[in-house]
Amino acid sequence: LHASPRVGVVAELFRELDEHYHDWIRTHYVPRAGCMFTSCHADGEENSVGLDGCRPTINAAMHGEATALAHVAKSLRNASEASFFAAEAARFRDVLARQLWDDDLGFFVTLAQAVPPQLHAHIRDYQKRGRGREVQTYFGCLACERGRKCPPERGWPNGKRVPVRELAGLTSPWYFNAVPRDDVARYAEAWRQLRDPRGFGARWGPTTTERRHECFNFTNRAQCNWNGPVWPYETSKAGTGLINLLQTYPAQASAGRVDFD
């Protein structure tokens, strides 16, 4: 190990990590909406009820990425980069609070958006270079039956919040410590859904979509679905998110050790 953080692998990789961050902004950011877009498939959550758009997952992850890069830049004594990434982290924290938080549901949800043109161009460019598998994805729910009502065949209305609680809207913001601290009690109320049998509460772990919603476990031909069944990956994120809440935020009545039972 090096005695100084200004040498070694961190210093060597910082420029590449910086470029990687900006590449994501270039290909997935929607300026008009002011948030990051991703498809549920590329998000690792195929056939999600919330479908595509500015999802809590990617926007929380960008907060986590920017926070990490701000710390790295500070360790490298790069004040300008540290300041930039600290501001980026704050920006995506605000995206969650102002655009993806639904007061009626008391939950972080997806803001439906059309695929940004630059992402289509990015995918076509990789396909032309014979590297299409590196960015392989699909948009919408191709495995779903035509004529369906839930989720809507043409997708949820663009520019509107999707009216459904999904486990990823609970886990990702807390997993990446992206939840604003100035009104933590309001956001922490969402954890009550974890054990609620009408929410995510189930015998073998939390479901990926709230059980009360009409789209819960909707029928399709896909092998992989995040429309209801329990997925260990997201369950593990729930555990980490809950640990972050209990260890790094003020104590809340809405969540505690009992939620690990």
Side-chain angles (χ1 to χ4, degrees), residues 194-237:
L194 189 66
R195 295 167 61 87
D196 188 338
R198 299 171 302 162
F200 306 115
R203 182 177 182 182
W204 303 114
T207 61
T208 49
T209 302
E210 59 177 330
R211 302 177 74 181
R212 65 172 66 83
H213 196 272
E214 59 181 340
C215 288
F216 174 77
N217 207 24
F218 64 84
T219 301
N220 63 74
R221 303 182 304 277
Q223 294 178 327
C224 299
N225 286 289
W226 290 67
N227 61 353
V230 173
W231 280 78
Y233 165 70
E234 200 64 32
T235 300
S236 68
K237 283 174 59 184

Side-chain angles (χ1 to χ4, degrees), residues 5-252:
R6 290 181 292 135
V7 296
V9 67
V10 174
E12 292 173 7
L13 293 179
F14 179 73
R15 185 52 52 199
E16 284 76 10
L17 294 171
D18 182 13
E19 292 176 357
H20 181 260
Y21 181 92
H22 284 86
D23 276 344
W24 273 89
I25 296 292
R26 176 178 58 82
T27 55
H28 289 72
Y29 189 70
V30 184
R32 183 165 56 182
C35 49
M36 293 288 285
F37 170 96
T38 192
S39 70
C40 59
H41 175 259
D43 212 8
E45 303 188 0
E46 298 91 327
N47 305 301
S48 159
V49 173
L51 298 179
D52 310 332
C54 291
R55 295 170 58 84
T57 44
I58 187 173
N59 287 278
M62 292 299 285
H63 172 275
E65 184 84 359
T67 299
L69 289 173
H71 285 302
V72 172
K74 184 178 180 179
S75 75
L76 299 176
R77 299 181 184 176
N78 189 330
S80 62
E81 289 280 32
S83 177
F84 170 79
F85 282 114
E88 286 290 281
R91 172 163 71 128
F92 286 108
R93 184 178 61 243
D94 289 345
V95 167
L96 286 166
R98 297 179 183 180
Q99 295 169 259
L100 306 188
W101 178 259
D102 188 291
D103 278 325
D104 292 334
L105 295 178
F107 217 80
F108 293 109
V109 300
T110 295
L111 179 67
Q113 290 289 323
V115 184
Q118 73 270 18
L119 180 54
H120 273 310
H122 177 65
I123 293 172
R124 289 195 299 269
D125 176 60
Y126 268 70
Q127 290 171 338
K128 289 178 181 178
R129 291 188 282 161
R131 298 173 58 185
R133 291 185 63 84
E134 296 179 33
V135 291
Q136 184 177 352
T137 189
Y138 64 78
F139 302 104
C141 186
L142 298 184
C144 298
E145 300 292 340
R146 295 294 182 182
R148 68 182 185 275
K149 294 183 179 179
C150 201
E153 184 173 349
R154 295 183 179 276
W156 299 99
N158 285 337
K160 303 292 185 180
R161 296 188 187 97
V162 178
V164 59
R165 298 179 184 90
E166 298 182 278
L167 187 60
L170 177 66
T171 60
S172 290
W174 297 93
Y175 182 94
F176 290 104
N177 284 311
V179 177
R181 296 176 179 273
D182 56 356
D183 196 6
V184 63
R186 177 163 68 107
Y187 300 114
E189 281 295 306
W191 283 97
R192 296 191 187 276
Q193 299 296 327
L194 189 66
R195 295 167 61 87
D196 188 338
R198 299 171 302 162
F200 306 115
R203 182 177 182 182
W204 303 114
T207 61
T208 49
T209 302
E210 59 177 330
R211 302 177 74 181
R212 65 172 66 83
H213 196 272
E214 59 181 340
C215 288
F216 174 77
N217 207 24
F218 64 84
T219 301
N220 63 74
R221 303 182 304 277
Q223 294 178 327
C224 299
N225 286 289
W226 290 67
N227 61 353
V230 173
W231 280 78
Y233 165 70
E234 200 64 32
T235 300
S236 68
K237 283 174 59 184
T240 302
L242 183 55
I243 289 170
N244 285 341
L245 168 62
L246 299 179
Q247 292 189 348
T248 67
Y249 288 83
Q252 302 298 317

Side-chain angles (χ1 to χ4, degrees), residues 191 194-195 242 254-261:
W191 283 97
L194 189 66
R195 295 167 61 87
L242 183 55
S254 54
R257 292 184 179 181
V258 67
D259 292 297
F260 286 98
D261 293 346

